[in-house]
């Protein structure tokens, strides 16, 4: 396009000018393994599949402590969350760095995608999640391909990381509301999964705030909250270390 008017407008322009059966979305800071297109296209052979995503890793993983943690976070998001959802053919967000779509489905959904509003204004965030939700609402499956590896650059400083997470969180909460009517038509596990994803961070934040309030008001350490959060963290990371066969999760 003549000027930068955002990712969504660029996507829509590219899709309308495309001619192939499949459209691959790749972020500009992402490098694909040589077999990614083949592996995603094989998954898309089934006509019921509207979109498929690959596994994301941090290309700059070794730069800082933060990039190493984000790389582990990506492993968890892909190989626990997306992999579990894919068992039911309903990955709730096909991530932008590496996602393949069926063009015939995209063309039917482009008007809804282009005209999405947030607080009365055209939406300028959450493109990946919203497009995935539209695919699911159209009755198509969304899949995850764990051996289609895409390496993407992740934030190496806390400020940019927190801004990114805030943007993603807004998208998650907003599009979860859009997906509520969709959930009963999907597996009951997915309803539990979506509720857990949205309530979990809120309950964690509430626990931390309650612990800090106890410390401030009574000058006593909230050991029960500390032990609960620590035990949950240890259990989850131990499971990840076992499944990935990688001690770095500990």
């Amino acid at each position: 396009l003549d000027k930068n008017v955002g990712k969504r407008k660029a996507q829509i322009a590219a899709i309308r000018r495309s001619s192939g059966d499949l459209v691959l979305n790749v972020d500009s800071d992402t490098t694909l393994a040589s077999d990614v297109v083949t592996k995603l296209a094989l998954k898309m052979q089934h006509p019921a599949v509207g979109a498929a995503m690959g596994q994301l890793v941090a290309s700059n993983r070794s730069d800082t402590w933060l990039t190493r943690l984000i790389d582990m976070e990506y492993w968890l998001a892909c190989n626990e969350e997306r992999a579990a959802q894919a068992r039911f053919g309903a990955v709730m967000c096909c991530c932008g760095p590496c996602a393949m779509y069926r063009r015939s489905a995209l063309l039917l959904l482009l008007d809804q995608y282009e005209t999405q509003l947030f607080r009365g204004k055209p939406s300028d965030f959450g493109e990946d999640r919203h497009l995935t939700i539209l695919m699911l609402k159209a009755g198509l499956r969304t899949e995850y391909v764990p051996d289609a590896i895409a390496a993407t650059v992740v934030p190496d400083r806390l400020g940019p990381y927190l801004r990114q997470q805030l943007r993603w969180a807004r998208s998650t909460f907003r599009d979860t509301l859009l997906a509520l009517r969709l959930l009963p038509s999907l597996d009951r596990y997915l309803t539990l999964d979506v509720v857990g994803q949205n309530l979990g961070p809120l309950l964690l934040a509430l626990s931390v705030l309650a612990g800090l309030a106890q410390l401030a008001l009574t000058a006593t350490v909230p050991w029960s909250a500390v032990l609960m959060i620590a035990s949950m963290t240890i259990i989850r990371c131990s499971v990840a270390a076992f499944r990935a066969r990688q001690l770095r999760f500990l």
Side-chain angles (χ1 to χ4, degrees), residues 65-237:
W65 65 270
L66 181 60
T67 58
R68 287 192 288 274
L69 287 173
I70 294 173
D71 184 64
M72 287 187 279
E73 181 187 21
Y74 278 16
W75 190 95
L76 292 167
C78 289
N79 295 295
E80 289 192 342
E81 180 187 312
R82 264 62 167 195
Q85 293 168 350
R87 288 184 65 88
F88 306 98
V91 172
M92 301 304 288
C93 179
C94 289
C95 298
C98 178
M100 185 174 279
Y101 298 93
R102 191 172 303 281
R103 190 171 71 95
S104 58
L106 284 175
L107 293 175
L108 295 174
L109 300 170
L110 275 190
D111 288 342
Q112 294 181 66
Y113 183 51
E114 187 171 19
T115 56
Q116 184 190 20
L117 300 177
F118 180 66
R119 296 172 66 184
K121 298 179 180 179
S123 177
D124 59 355
F125 67 94
E127 293 86 5
D128 310 325
R129 186 173 293 275
H130 186 58
L131 195 52
T132 307
I133 295 296
L134 289 178
M135 286 282 174
L136 290 170
K137 289 176 74 174
L140 295 165
R141 294 172 63 89
T142 53
E143 297 283 358
Y144 168 59
V145 184
D147 54 352
I149 307 297
T152 188
V153 177
V154 301
D156 58 1
R157 290 178 294 112
L158 203 54
Y161 173 70
L162 292 175
R163 286 193 294 273
Q164 178 199 66
Q165 292 299 303
L166 178 61
R167 190 171 65 250
W168 288 1
R170 291 170 69 204
S171 168
T172 299
F173 286 115
R174 181 194 66 186
D175 283 289
T176 294
L177 293 175
L178 296 175
L180 288 179
R181 291 182 182 178
L182 170 69
L183 288 175
S185 65
L186 302 174
D187 192 275
R188 284 175 295 178
Y189 164 81
L190 290 161
T191 302
L192 179 64
D193 182 50
V194 169
V195 169
Q197 279 189 57
N198 286 273
L199 286 184
L202 297 177
L203 292 173
L204 178 61
L206 185 63
S207 299
V208 172
L209 290 174
L212 291 174
Q214 178 181 327
L215 184 63
L217 297 174
T218 67
T220 59
V221 178
W223 287 114
S224 58
V226 171
L227 291 173
M228 179 62 72
I229 293 171
S231 62
M232 290 171 65
T233 304
I234 291 168
I235 290 170
R236 188 177 186 199
C237 292

Side-chain angles (χ1 to χ4, degrees), residues 234-248:
I234 291 168
I235 290 170
R236 188 177 186 199
C237 292
S238 297
V239 171
F242 175 76
R243 290 192 61 238
R245 303 292 192 271
Q246 296 176 20
L247 289 176
R248 64 187 178 123

